[in-house]
PDB file of all heavy atoms in Angstrom:
ATOM      1  N   ARG A 175      89.373  30.324 -20.732  1.00 83.00           N
ATOM      2  CA  ARG A 175      88.636  29.237 -21.374  1.00 83.00           C
ATOM      3  C   ARG A 175      87.231  29.149 -20.798  1.00 83.00           C
ATOM      4  O   ARG A 175      87.026  29.292 -19.590  1.00 83.00           O
ATOM      5  CB  ARG A 175      89.361  27.909 -21.169  1.00 83.00           C
ATOM      6  CG  ARG A 175      90.643  27.772 -21.977  1.00 83.00           C
ATOM      7  CD  ARG A 175      91.264  26.406 -21.798  1.00 83.00           C
ATOM      8  NE  ARG A 175      92.431  26.214 -22.661  1.00 83.00           N
ATOM      9  CZ  ARG A 175      93.196  25.144 -22.637  1.00 83.00           C
ATOM     10  NH1 ARG A 175      92.910  24.136 -21.800  1.00 83.00           N
ATOM     11  NH2 ARG A 175      94.230  25.042 -23.441  1.00 83.00           N
ATOM     12  N   TYR A 176      86.297  28.895 -21.689  1.00 82.00           N
ATOM     13  CA  TYR A 176      84.894  28.758 -21.276  1.00 82.00           C
ATOM     14  C   TYR A 176      84.704  27.481 -20.455  1.00 82.00           C
ATOM     15  O   TYR A 176      85.190  26.411 -20.827  1.00 82.00           O
ATOM     16  CB  TYR A 176      84.001  28.714 -22.521  1.00 82.00           C
ATOM     17  CG  TYR A 176      82.593  28.238 -22.249  1.00 82.00           C
ATOM     18  CD1 TYR A 176      81.654  29.083 -21.678  1.00 82.00           C
ATOM     19  CD2 TYR A 176      82.212  26.933 -22.574  1.00 82.00           C
ATOM     20  CE1 TYR A 176      80.364  28.644 -21.436  1.00 82.00           C
ATOM     21  CE2 TYR A 176      80.930  26.488 -22.331  1.00 82.00           C
ATOM     22  CZ  TYR A 176      80.004  27.349 -21.758  1.00 82.00           C
ATOM     23  OH  TYR A 176      78.741  26.911 -21.500  1.00 82.00           O
ATOM     24  N   VAL A 177      84.024  27.605 -19.314  1.00 84.00           N
ATOM     25  CA  VAL A 177      83.797  26.428 -18.466  1.00 84.00           C
ATOM     26  C   VAL A 177      82.313  26.128 -18.238  1.00 84.00           C
ATOM     27  O   VAL A 177      81.959  25.066 -17.741  1.00 84.00           O
ATOM     28  CB  VAL A 177      84.496  26.583 -17.094  1.00 84.00           C
ATOM     29  CG1 VAL A 177      85.999  26.609 -17.266  1.00 84.00           C
ATOM     30  CG2 VAL A 177      84.004  27.828 -16.358  1.00 84.00           C
ATOM     31  N   GLY A 178      81.437  27.054 -18.596  1.00 88.00           N
ATOM     32  CA  GLY A 178      80.017  26.782 -18.412  1.00 88.00           C
ATOM     33  C   GLY A 178      79.195  28.045 -18.291  1.00 88.00           C
ATOM     34  O   GLY A 178      79.713  29.167 -18.379  1.00 88.00           O
ATOM     35  N   ILE A 179      77.907  27.852 -18.108  1.00 93.00           N
ATOM     36  CA  ILE A 179      76.978  28.963 -17.912  1.00 93.00           C
ATOM     37  C   ILE A 179      76.415  28.864 -16.505  1.00 93.00           C
ATOM     38  O   ILE A 179      75.977  27.792 -16.078  1.00 93.00           O
ATOM     39  CB  ILE A 179      75.838  28.926 -18.954  1.00 93.00           C
ATOM     40  CG1 ILE A 179      76.406  29.244 -20.332  1.00 93.00           C
ATOM     41  CG2 ILE A 179      74.721  29.896 -18.588  1.00 93.00           C
ATOM     42  CD1 ILE A 179      75.407  29.142 -21.453  1.00 93.00           C
ATOM     43  N   LYS A 180      76.434  29.972 -15.802  1.00 94.00           N
ATOM     44  CA  LYS A 180      75.998  29.979 -14.406  1.00 94.00           C
ATOM     45  C   LYS A 180      74.960  31.072 -14.188  1.00 94.00           C
ATOM     46  O   LYS A 180      75.128  32.198 -14.653  1.00 94.00           O
ATOM     47  CB  LYS A 180      77.201  30.201 -13.476  1.00 94.00           C
ATOM     48  CG  LYS A 180      76.872  30.070 -11.997  1.00 94.00           C
ATOM     49  CD  LYS A 180      78.124  30.182 -11.151  1.00 94.00           C
ATOM     50  CE  LYS A 180      77.800  30.024  -9.665  1.00 94.00           C
ATOM     51  NZ  LYS A 180      79.024  30.132  -8.824  1.00 94.00           N
ATOM     52  N   SER A 181      73.891  30.713 -13.491  1.00 95.00           N
ATOM     53  CA  SER A 181      72.844  31.681 -13.177  1.00 95.00           C
ATOM     54  C   SER A 181      73.272  32.551 -12.002  1.00 95.00           C
ATOM     55  O   SER A 181      74.080  32.146 -11.165  1.00 95.00           O
ATOM     56  CB  SER A 181      71.541  30.948 -12.832  1.00 95.00           C
ATOM     57  OG  SER A 181      70.606  31.829 -12.253  1.00 95.00           O
ATOM     58  N   ASP A 182      72.693  33.763 -11.936  1.00 94.00           N
ATOM     59  CA  ASP A 182      73.012  34.652 -10.816  1.00 94.00           C
ATOM     60  C   ASP A 182      72.197  34.328  -9.565  1.00 94.00           C
ATOM     61  O   ASP A 182      72.324  35.002  -8.544  1.00 94.00           O
ATOM     62  CB  ASP A 182      72.791  36.113 -11.217  1.00 94.00           C
ATOM     63  CG  ASP A 182      71.327  36.421 -11.496  1.00 94.00           C
ATOM     64  OD1 ASP A 182      70.496  35.485 -11.540  1.00 94.00           O
ATOM     65  OD2 ASP A 182      70.994  37.614 -11.681  1.00 94.00           O
ATOM     66  N   GLY A 183      71.333  33.303  -9.653  1.00 93.00           N
ATOM     67  CA  GLY A 183      70.578  32.880  -8.482  1.00 93.00           C
ATOM     68  C   GLY A 183      69.278  33.615  -8.242  1.00 93.00           C
ATOM     69  O   GLY A 183      68.613  33.404  -7.226  1.00 93.00           O
ATOM     70  N   THR A 184      68.874  34.481  -9.181  1.00 96.00           N
ATOM     71  CA  THR A 184      67.643  35.251  -8.998  1.00 96.00           C
ATOM     72  C   THR A 184      66.407  34.530  -9.527  1.00 96.00           C
ATOM     73  O   THR A 184      65.297  35.050  -9.418  1.00 96.00           O
ATOM     74  CB  THR A 184      67.751  36.620  -9.694  1.00 96.00           C
ATOM     75  OG1 THR A 184      67.972  36.409 -11.104  1.00 96.00           O
ATOM     76  CG2 THR A 184      68.902  37.432  -9.112  1.00 96.00           C
ATOM     77  N   GLY A 185      66.579  33.362 -10.128  1.00 96.00           N
ATOM     78  CA  GLY A 185      65.440  32.634 -10.684  1.00 96.00           C
ATOM     79  C   GLY A 185      64.609  31.944  -9.621  1.00 96.00           C
ATOM     80  O   GLY A 185      65.020  31.807  -8.464  1.00 96.00           O
ATOM     81  N   GLU A 186      63.436  31.504 -10.016  1.00 97.00           N
ATOM     82  CA  GLU A 186      62.534  30.813  -9.097  1.00 97.00           C
ATOM     83  C   GLU A 186      63.027  29.412  -8.759  1.00 97.00           C
ATOM     84  O   GLU A 186      62.636  28.854  -7.728  1.00 97.00           O
ATOM     85  CB  GLU A 186      61.130  30.729  -9.705  1.00 97.00           C
ATOM     86  CG  GLU A 186      60.462  32.087  -9.922  1.00 97.00           C
ATOM     87  CD  GLU A 186      59.090  31.947 -10.543  1.00 97.00           C
ATOM     88  OE1 GLU A 186      58.639  30.783 -10.748  1.00 97.00           O
ATOM     89  OE2 GLU A 186      58.460  32.970 -10.841  1.00 97.00           O
ATOM     90  N   LEU A 187      63.895  28.844  -9.622  1.00 97.00           N
ATOM     91  CA  LEU A 187      64.343  27.469  -9.442  1.00 97.00           C
ATOM     92  C   LEU A 187      65.843  27.411  -9.205  1.00 97.00           C
ATOM     93  O   LEU A 187      66.595  28.278  -9.668  1.00 97.00           O
ATOM     94  CB  LEU A 187      63.991  26.630 -10.673  1.00 97.00           C
ATOM     95  CG  LEU A 187      62.524  26.618 -11.119  1.00 97.00           C
ATOM     96  CD1 LEU A 187      62.383  25.806 -12.401  1.00 97.00           C
ATOM     97  CD2 LEU A 187      61.624  26.070 -10.029  1.00 97.00           C
ATOM     98  N   SER A 188      66.276  26.373  -8.520  1.00 96.00           N
ATOM     99  CA  SER A 188      67.702  26.106  -8.382  1.00 96.00           C
ATOM    100  C   SER A 188      68.209  25.556  -9.710  1.00 96.00           C
ATOM    101  O   SER A 188      67.407  25.150 -10.565  1.00 96.00           O
ATOM    102  CB  SER A 188      67.937  25.090  -7.266  1.00 96.00           C
ATOM    103  OG  SER A 188      67.435  23.816  -7.647  1.00 96.00           O
ATOM    104  N   PRO A 189      69.540  25.519  -9.934  1.00 96.00           N
ATOM    105  CA  PRO A 189      70.050  24.954 -11.192  1.00 96.00           C
ATOM    106  C   PRO A 189      69.546  23.542 -11.457  1.00 96.00           C
ATOM    107  O   PRO A 189      69.193  23.200 -12.601  1.00 96.00           O
ATOM    108  CB  PRO A 189      71.571  24.979 -10.985  1.00 96.00           C
ATOM    109  CG  PRO A 189      71.799  26.132 -10.058  1.00 96.00           C
ATOM    110  CD  PRO A 189      70.620  26.116  -9.119  1.00 96.00           C
ATOM    111  N   GLU A 190      69.489  22.712 -10.426  1.00 97.00           N
ATOM    112  CA  GLU A 190      69.008  21.332 -10.607  1.00 97.00           C
ATOM    113  C   GLU A 190      67.528  21.318 -10.948  1.00 97.00           C
ATOM    114  O   GLU A 190      67.074  20.552 -11.817  1.00 97.00           O
ATOM    115  CB  GLU A 190      69.256  20.510  -9.348  1.00 97.00           C
ATOM    116  CG  GLU A 190      70.727  20.295  -9.002  1.00 97.00           C
ATOM    117  CD  GLU A 190      71.387  21.530  -8.414  1.00 97.00           C
ATOM    118  OE1 GLU A 190      70.657  22.448  -7.961  1.00 97.00           O
ATOM    119  OE2 GLU A 190      72.627  21.586  -8.399  1.00 97.00           O
ATOM    120  N   GLU A 191      66.748  22.157 -10.276  1.00 98.00           N
ATOM    121  CA  GLU A 191      65.308  22.229 -10.556  1.00 98.00           C
ATOM    122  C   GLU A 191      65.052  22.774 -11.955  1.00 98.00           C
ATOM    123  O   GLU A 191      64.115  22.327 -12.638  1.00 98.00           O
ATOM    124  CB  GLU A 191      64.624  23.105  -9.512  1.00 98.00           C
ATOM    125  CG  GLU A 191      64.567  22.498  -8.123  1.00 98.00           C
ATOM    126  CD  GLU A 191      64.070  23.477  -7.072  1.00 98.00           C
ATOM    127  OE1 GLU A 191      64.202  24.707  -7.287  1.00 98.00           O
ATOM    128  OE2 GLU A 191      63.553  23.021  -6.036  1.00 98.00           O
TER     129      GLU A 191
END
Side-chain angles (χ1 to χ4, degrees):
R175 288 184 175 176
Y176 166 78
V177 294
I179 291 176
K180 186 175 181 180
S181 167
D182 66 351
T184 60
E186 296 179 3
L187 305 177
S188 68
E190 295 75 17
E191 290 171 336

